[in-house]
Amino acid sequence: MGKEVAGKIFSTPEELGSAPLGEDELAKARRMLAQAQARRDSIPSEERTPASPKFYDDAAGTEYERREPS
């Protein structure tokens, strides 16, 4: 069974019964990532819209949330 941290469960692929990706699948995923990064990088920085923290701050609302010292 995986380890629970801040309300999320972390497991290894083996614990979940998943087989590792093959070299072809990894190469395809890397190409797709490179294409997405190239598209992102082609947008001038002044035209970029920052993502809301709710999409990347998994610690918000947990005991691991970063808080400013009082």
Side-chain angles (χ1 to χ4, degrees), residues 16-52:
L16 298 174
S18 298
L21 294 177
E23 287 302 317
D24 291 342
E25 293 171 303
L26 285 173
K28 180 180 177 184
R30 288 182 181 121
R31 281 193 304 273
M32 291 172 65
L33 179 59
Q35 290 172 346
Q37 288 174 331
R39 285 182 60 198
R40 181 198 62 206
D41 293 343
S42 71
I43 300 171
S45 60
E46 62 273 0
E47 293 180 21
R48 295 181 190 172
T49 303
S52 167

Side-chain angles (χ1 to χ4, degrees), residues 2 12 27 35-36 67:
T12 65
Q35 290 172 346
R67 297 176 189 243

